[in-house]
Amino acid sequence: MRVRLVALVAASALLLTGCTSDPLAEQYREGSGKNYIAGDGTISEFAEEQRGETIEFSGETVDGGAFDSADTLGDVTVVNFWYAGCAPCRAEAPVLEEVSQSFAGDGVAFVGVNVRDQAGTAASFEQSYGVTYPSILDVESGTAQLAFAGDVPPAAVPTTIVLDQEGRVAARVLGQLTEASILESIIDTLLAEQA
């Protein structure tokens, strides 16, 4: 009797698992060869009392310099995870650059985290799309990605995470950022918190 009960529970669990839908897992299983898993544009925002600890990350930039998140504390920081072969990354690059320029000098910092490319490929992308903010090369160590692996990981490429002035995750856009106004609104809200 006990064996039958265990088998029934296992079969029920398997059946229920088959009824759920995970778009990221489905993209992986489809084997399309597009070489990225795109998010659906879901936006998650977190109230001040829901934000976790300060995220600390650093790395070598595409131009051979260094970036350290400690240098952007006090600013709203926009962190974009990308790589050159990602079609949604190419589509959103002008939007990110537009917002970066519109908040220049307003206490907002931008940094990219390149998850796959070597410096030459990443530099070519930045030049082609007019990206002026720095990007960390994270393909070898993965330490920047690991810093975000807690409650709100960059589960797809591209992903844009916005940190508040204390370096805590305040918002995440999972997938391509389609309009500047989305990011501008998030940044405006965070800047108003400190006003």
Side-chain angles (χ1 to χ4, degrees):
M1 179 69 173
R2 183 178 169 116
V3 174
R4 291 178 70 192
L5 181 60
V6 171
L8 180 60
V9 170
S12 297
L14 185 59
L15 180 61
L16 290 174
T17 303
C19 293
T20 61
S21 175
D22 180 351
L24 297 178
E26 288 171 12
Q27 287 182 56
Y28 175 77
R29 284 191 296 265
E30 76 183 18
S32 67
K34 65 184 177 186
N35 293 323
Y36 65 89
I37 297 196
D40 60 4
T42 301
I43 301 168
S44 303
E45 293 185 80
F46 307 94
E48 286 186 78
E49 64 275 4
Q50 295 177 319
R51 298 176 194 159
E53 298 295 316
T54 298
I55 304 291
E56 298 176 2
F57 63 104
S58 61
E60 182 180 342
T61 60
V62 171
D63 65 2
F67 176 88
D68 191 321
S69 63
D71 297 336
T72 64
L73 288 176
D75 291 341
V76 170
T77 304
V78 177
V79 185
N80 178 255
F81 294 83
W82 68 280
Y83 69 95
C86 160
C89 300
R90 293 190 301 269
E92 76 174 4
V95 173
L96 288 160
E97 181 61 25
E98 174 188 339
V99 178
S100 167
Q101 292 299 319
S102 70
F103 283 98
D106 291 341
V108 180
F110 276 70
V111 63
V113 177
N114 185 291
V115 300
R116 288 204 185 167
D117 301 320
Q118 298 300 320
T121 303
S124 178
F125 176 98
E126 290 180 345
Q127 183 177 8
S128 294
Y129 291 94
V131 176
T132 60
Y133 53 84
S135 281
I136 294 170
L137 295 171
D138 202 43
V139 66
E140 298 294 330
S141 68
T143 56
Q145 295 169 78
L146 187 58
F148 288 88
D151 295 334
V152 189
V157 177
T159 290
T160 302
I161 295 178
V162 186
L163 305 176
D164 67 11
Q165 289 90 338
E166 295 177 34
R168 303 172 303 167
V169 175
R172 175 183 72 174
V173 179
L174 187 59
Q176 180 183 335
L177 185 64
T178 57
E179 296 183 33
S181 61
I182 295 168
L183 187 54
E184 290 167 345
S185 177
I186 293 169
I187 293 170
D188 284 336
T189 298
L190 292 173
L191 289 174
E193 287 181 359
Q194 299 298 316

